Amino acid sequence: MDVFVCAGCEAPLSAPVFRVALPVHAHHSSWHELLPPLMEQGTYAVDPLPSGPPYRRRQEIEEDEAAARGVYAPEYSVSFGAAGRIALAPGDSRGTVLIPERCDGYCVGLDGRDGPNLACERCASAVGTRVDDCGMWQAVWLEPGAVRRVASVGGPAPVDPVPGVRPRPPVEPGGGWDGRWVAAVAVALAHLVVAAEGDPVTFPAGGLLAETFARGADAVLPMGPVRKSVGLAGPGVPVSGHDIALVPRDPVTGEPWRPSADVPVAPLSAEVWAYLAEPPETAPLPASGTLPPGVLRDDYPLPPHPAYTFEMDRRIFLHTLARHPAVRRPRIRAVYDRVLAGRNQLWL
C-alpha cells in the first residue's frame, strides 16, 4: 500500500492505496450521463502516457514530436500534459482544497479544462485535478511532479483490495450497454486489428462474444473469403485451435495473459473477459433435464437484455489504434484511415 504526499511540504494527499492497472475507459466519456468513480476505493493507477491539458492541434506539431508523446496517427489534438499522472477515487483524496478560478466545467461539475484545480491544503501548491462533470468518470488526478509516493507504515496489515476478478455484466438495469463494456470492446478491437494484421476475422456463431465483437470487426476490417478465427483463451480456457486469442489483462499489471500456444493475442479487460468466459448461472435452482442452447426457462426472472444492438465506439477504437506503434504499418494504417473517414462523415 502507498500514500501520496505533497512534494513541497510532505502533507498527506491520499489514504493508503494499492496500485492496479489503469482502466481502459479512463479517458473516454459518455455523453450526458452521470458516471461513477473511475477507480475502486483503495486503489490507484498510473497513466504511462501524457494526458490532460494543455493540448496542441495535431497539424501544428511534427510527426516525430507526436510519436514521442505516444500518438502515431493523425488526431485532432495531442496532449502536452505530464506522463505518469496518478488516478485516485475521489474518496481516497486527502488534504486538498479547490482552486476557485480553475473550477470550470461543461455541465454539472468540474472537467479539468484549466489544468490542476486542487491545491495542497497546507502549502497551497497545485497538486491535482478533480474531475466529476457529467459524462466523465469521477476521479482525482494527481500531478507526478507535485506529489511523492511513500510506502504506508504502521497500523494493521492492509487487505488486498483486488482479491480476484469480478465478472462485469454487460447490461445496465435500464437496458443500456454498460459503458465499461463499450470501452473494453472498442479497445480490444483495436488490438485485434493489429493481431489479425488487417485481415478479416470471424467469431464463434451466436453468443455474447459474437454479439459484441462481430459487427464492429466487420465494420472496420475488409471483407474476404478467408477469415482468421478469434476465440477466448485464458486461465482455464485453452486456445482451442483459434488463429487469434482474446485474452484477459492482468488487473494489477495490465499485461496480457500469454498462452502456451504460439498465437497472436488481443488483450481484453479482465472483468469483461471473465463474464464472456463463464457467464453466471441464471437459474436459482437446478433443473431436471436439459434445454436446447439459447432457450431460457420462464419460471424465474430472466437476465437483463439490452434495449438496442451493440455498437462499437469509433472514438475509443481510433484513440487506441492511434497509440499503437503498429498503426504506422500500411495495412493497419489503411484500417485507421477508413474508420476515421467514416466517423468524420457521421458529423457532416
Side-chain angles (χ1 to χ4, degrees):
M1 303 288 278
D2 300 314
V3 171
F4 290 92
V5 301
C6 176
C9 70
E10 300 291 312
L13 299 177
S14 80
V17 283
F18 179 86
R19 183 170 179 175
V20 298
L22 183 71
V24 297
H25 54 275
H27 298 300
H28 305 298
S29 60
S30 178
W31 180 252
H32 280 312
E33 184 178 351
L34 296 177
L35 299 178
L38 171 68
M39 304 301 302
E40 295 286 344
Q41 198 78 17
T43 69
Y44 77 95
V46 178
D47 189 349
L49 296 178
S51 64
Y55 293 90
R56 290 178 60 185
R57 294 278 297 275
R58 176 63 179 82
Q59 63 190 37
E60 298 173 356
I61 61 178
E62 298 293 333
E63 184 176 336
D64 290 345
E65 191 175 8
R69 308 197 72 76
V71 179
Y72 305 101
E75 285 202 311
Y76 180 78
S77 62
V78 175
S79 170
F80 273 72
R85 295 171 80 216
I86 300 113
L88 299 172
D92 285 326
S93 177
R94 302 285 189 272
T96 62
V97 294
L98 288 168
I99 304 173
E101 60 270 22
R102 297 184 182 177
C103 288
D104 284 341
Y106 177 75
C107 189
V108 298
L110 312 175
D111 62 10
R113 69 179 66 184
D114 298 317
N117 57 24
L118 291 176
C120 172
E121 189 174 25
R122 180 185 295 177
C123 70
S125 299
V127 293
T129 305
R130 172 68 186 263
V131 174
D132 56 14
D133 208 348
C134 71
M136 306 182 77
W137 300 98
Q138 298 180 40
V140 167
W141 290 90
L142 298 177
E143 295 295 323
V147 302
R148 190 168 64 84
R149 178 179 59 84
V150 297
S152 175
V153 296
V159 177
D160 184 353
V162 191
V165 176
R166 296 180 292 275
R168 177 168 295 280
V171 182
E172 297 175 332
W177 291 97
D178 184 271
R180 284 156 286 202
W181 262 75
V182 174
V185 170
V187 170
L189 275 171
H191 289 281
L192 183 59
V193 166
V194 176
E197 300 177 344
D199 290 331
V201 297
T202 185
F203 298 86
L208 188 58
L209 179 61
E211 185 177 2
T212 52
F213 275 86
R215 293 181 73 247
D218 286 345
V220 303
L221 289 168
M223 302 298 290
V226 179
R227 294 176 171 230
K228 295 179 178 178
S229 62
V230 181
L232 296 175
V237 181
V239 174
S240 300
H242 296 295
D243 298 315
I244 302 169
L246 273 173
V247 301
R249 294 177 182 268
D250 187 291
V252 175
T253 67
E255 292 298 315
W257 182 84
R258 293 292 178 182
S260 57
D262 185 18
V263 297
V265 300
L268 176 63
S269 172
E271 57 187 4
V272 172
W273 183 93
Y275 192 96
L276 286 168
E278 190 172 354
E281 175 61 53
T282 56
L285 296 173
S288 61
T290 59
L291 290 172
V295 176
L296 298 175
R297 293 172 58 92
D298 60 3
D299 58 349
Y300 59 89
L302 294 175
H305 283 259
Y308 49 88
T309 303
F310 189 92
E311 293 286 345
M312 182 193 72
D313 192 311
R314 294 170 186 253
R315 301 169 305 159
I316 300 176
F317 175 85
L318 290 168
H319 180 273
T320 305
L321 196 54
R323 285 158 180 77
H324 198 301
V327 77
R328 293 178 289 191
R329 303 205 296 260
R331 297 193 68 187
I332 309 301
R333 178 58 181 272
V335 172
Y336 179 90
D337 289 343
R338 184 167 57 251
V339 177
L340 179 63
R343 177 175 181 266
N344 289 341
Q345 290 173 4
L346 295 176
W347 295 93
L348 294 178

